[in-house]
């Protein structure tokens, strides 16, 4: 029997490359497309090395509908995982049109072509950012979405709604939005991982770059929050576990196990970890002292958020299994690989 084929948009990126590995390991055929605006071919090479499969890669911009149509004509996939988007919150505030144009335009093209070319299943990369500052913790999928505090966050809410409405219109498309909490870490092979361009916005790459001497000092944004140690709390999910959630969600659609044609799942560990706890764990696990200082709060930061994961655990049959220590060791191994540190 022919294998199921999945199109992975943004598959040269951080989460897309790990998901491509997981899909191939689960027996899927994968086609990767990416415009390489925030990645390079090294990730595709890494995926090929890890899996031993010469996964097809096409450099395509999802905003170019005719180029994207050619991919739909060329490959007989019935499922799409749509990662392709810009993701820098601060930049989205400065350049909102860049974000609305790319993040909405690319997804609209994917959905239109799925209808026009008769393809069924789509996963969308959403984010815990849709919950804003939650009223109750942990957040469930039924917790209210809060008004977005950035154009980036708004594109996630809008794309969720576009998917919901497209599915509801009976377009022959079934969809799942996965709301990621805080992805971190790298593949245990250290052949793929997170490769931010310029100064990292996210905590873990800033930590690993500081440990590698690329950044002088980590700034911890505030220790006067209403949390046990005063620093913010997040739900850090290992990128390999996150990749496995995509395989489970695609399997649910392919096998027709979905209860509704549009579903939403939180993808987190269910455990909140503070910034200080994370820094201390990184030091302990990797036997390092990190240069850090406490500075003022970063505007727009949520105090605490972590996921209720029972829906994903029960319905997708998926659970985060990697420990914080394993993840922080993998993040450091990847940074050392990138920097050529022994
Ligand atoms: P990433 O930047 O590493 O990967 C995204 C990839 O998409 C990049 O390789 C980029 O070159 C590509 N891309 C962007 N626009 C494109 C376009 N128009 N056409 C083709 N390719 C395009 O980011 P990531 O961390 O892997 O995130 C993947 C998805 O998950 C994004 O949608 C992001 O918003 C979402 N997400 C990420 C996080 C996180 O913390 N990393 C959290 C929640 C949600
Ligand atoms: N953070 C920090 N220093 C940094 C980057 C992030 O103290 O250089 C904190 C940030 O204030 C937040 C947590 O780390 O409390 C996670 O931030 P990140 O940007 O990684 O994710 P998000 O804010 O999207 O949850």
């Amino acid at each position: 029997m022919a294998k199921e084929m999945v199109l992975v948009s943004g598959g040269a990126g951080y989460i897309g490359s790990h998901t491509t590995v997981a899909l191939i390991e689960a027996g899927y055929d994968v086609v990767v497309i990416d415009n390489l605006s925030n990645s390079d071919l090294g990730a595709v090479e890494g995926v090929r090395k890890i899996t031993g499969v010469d996964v097809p890669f096409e450099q395509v911009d999802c905003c170019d509908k005719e180029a994207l149509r050619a991919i739909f004509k060329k490959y007989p996939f019935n499922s799409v995982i749509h990662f392709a988007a810009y993701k820098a919150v601060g930049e989205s505030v400065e350049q909102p049109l860049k974000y609305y144009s790319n993040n909405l335009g690319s997804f609209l093209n994917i959905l239109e072509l799925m209808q026009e070319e008769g393809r069924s299943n789509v996963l969308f990369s959403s984010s815990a950012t849709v919950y804003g500052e939650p009223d109750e913790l942990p957040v469930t999928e039924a917790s209210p979405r809060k008004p977005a505090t950035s154009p980036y966050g708004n594109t996630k809410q809008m794309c969720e709604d576009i998917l919901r409405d497209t599915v509801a219109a009976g377009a022959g498309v079934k969809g799942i939005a996965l709301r990621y909490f805080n992805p971190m870490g790298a593949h245990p092979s250290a052949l793929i991982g997170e490769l931010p361009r310029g100064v990292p916005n996210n905590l873990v790459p800033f930590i690993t770059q500081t440990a590698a001497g690329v950044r002088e000092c980590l700034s911890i944004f505030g220790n006067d929050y209403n949390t046990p140690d005063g620093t913010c709390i997040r739900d850090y999910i290992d990128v390999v576990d996150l990749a496995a959630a995509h395989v489970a969600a695609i399997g649910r659609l392919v096998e027709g196990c979905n209860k509704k044609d549009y579903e939403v799942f939180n993808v987190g560990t269910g455990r909140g970890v503070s910034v200080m706890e994370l820094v201390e764990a990184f030091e302990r696990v990797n036997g390092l002292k990190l240069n850090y200082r406490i500075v003022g709060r970063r505007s727009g930061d949520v105090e605490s958020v972590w996921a209720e994961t029972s829906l994903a655990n029960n319905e997708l049959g998926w659970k985060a299994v990697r420990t914080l220590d394993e993840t922080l060791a993998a993040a450091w191994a990847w940074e050392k690989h990138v920097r050529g540190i022994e």
Side-chain angles (χ1 to χ4, degrees):
M1 214 177 77
K3 286 186 191 172
E4 277 282 334
M5 185 180 275
V6 180
L7 177 74
V8 177
S9 81
Y14 174 44
I15 304 168
S17 56
H18 289 80
T19 300
T20 300
V21 168
L23 286 166
I24 292 170
E25 286 174 348
Y28 290 93
D29 273 339
V30 181
V31 180
V32 171
I33 59 171
D34 204 298
N35 65 358
L36 303 181
S37 58
N38 195 40
S39 52
D40 59 48
L41 281 177
V44 180
E45 285 310 323
V47 168
R48 289 176 177 153
K49 256 194 210 149
I50 293 166
T51 60
V53 171
D54 192 19
V55 57
F57 170 78
E58 307 262 5
Q59 187 168 347
V60 171
D61 189 329
C62 296
C63 293
D64 179 345
K65 189 169 177 187
E66 290 319 306
L68 192 55
R69 187 190 301 281
I71 300 295
F72 275 71
K73 296 277 187 208
K74 185 169 171 186
Y75 297 98
F77 53 85
N78 197 33
S79 302
V80 180
I81 307 185
H82 182 63
F83 292 106
Y86 296 147
K87 63 169 184 177
V89 174
E91 187 186 56
S92 81
V93 174
E94 284 153 24
Q95 299 181 62
L97 294 180
K98 176 175 170 181
Y99 277 69
Y100 286 117
S101 161
N102 191 50
N103 294 7
L104 301 183
S106 62
F107 196 42
L108 289 172
N109 282 343
I110 291 277
L111 290 175
E112 284 174 3
L113 283 164
M114 287 182 68
Q115 283 188 257
E116 289 166 22
E117 302 292 331
R119 312 299 162 90
S120 309
N121 309 316
V122 61
L123 296 190
F124 173 67
S125 299
S126 192
S127 166
T129 188
V130 302
Y131 296 117
E133 185 81 61
D135 303 322
E136 282 180 72
L137 287 164
V139 286
T140 74
E141 290 78 356
S143 298
R145 293 189 325 187
K146 295 288 174 66
T149 54
S150 72
Y152 167 74
N154 210 15
T155 68
K156 291 296 163 196
Q157 299 207 2
M158 292 168 88
C159 285
E160 283 192 357
D161 293 347
I162 289 167
L163 180 56
R164 179 202 62 206
D165 294 349
T166 304
V167 168
V173 174
K174 296 187 295 180
I176 291 179
L178 295 179
R179 292 179 178 158
Y180 312 157
F181 281 67
N182 286 62
M184 66 162 177
H187 193 267
S189 65
L191 290 170
I192 52 173
E194 192 169 9
L195 206 57
R197 295 193 168 173
V199 182
N201 295 308
N202 294 115
L203 179 60
V204 174
F206 208 108
I207 289 176
T208 56
Q209 289 194 10
T210 305
V214 180
R215 310 281 152 208
E216 213 170 286
C217 183
L218 168 75
S219 296
I220 293 181
F221 299 136
N223 67 350
D224 57 352
Y225 285 95
N226 185 22
T227 61
D229 66 21
T231 63
C232 293
I233 294 178
R234 296 287 182 275
D235 184 336
Y236 294 93
I237 171 87
D238 188 288
V239 68
V240 175
D241 282 334
L242 177 56
H246 290 79
V247 175
I250 275 290
R252 181 176 177 88
L253 293 177
V254 167
E255 286 156 27
C257 305
N258 51 306
K259 293 205 170 129
K260 287 181 279 171
D261 284 345
Y262 172 66
E263 296 177 315
V264 176
F265 294 101
N266 285 345
V267 187
T269 65
R271 174 173 171 226
V273 173
S274 76
V275 175
M276 205 41 125
E277 280 178 290
L278 194 89
V279 166
E280 285 170 3
F282 181 84
E283 292 184 322
R284 175 178 46 73
V285 167
N286 296 308
L288 293 163
K289 277 315 283 173
L290 198 71
N291 196 17
Y292 67 82
R293 61 170 176 242
I294 311 289
V295 301
R297 294 182 178 197
R298 181 171 71 175
S299 94
D301 266 345
V302 165
E303 182 170 277
S304 296
V305 61
W306 66 91
E308 168 59 56
T309 61
S310 51
L311 194 67
N313 299 158
N314 297 334
E315 292 296 322
L316 297 179
W318 166 90
K319 204 173 180 350
V321 292
R322 291 174 65 79
T323 65
L324 189 66
D325 288 9
E326 281 173 315
T327 308
L328 291 171
W332 178 230
W334 164 247
E335 187 71 50
K336 285 195 291 186
H337 170 80
V338 171
R339 308 289 162 196
I341 300 171
E342 285 304 310

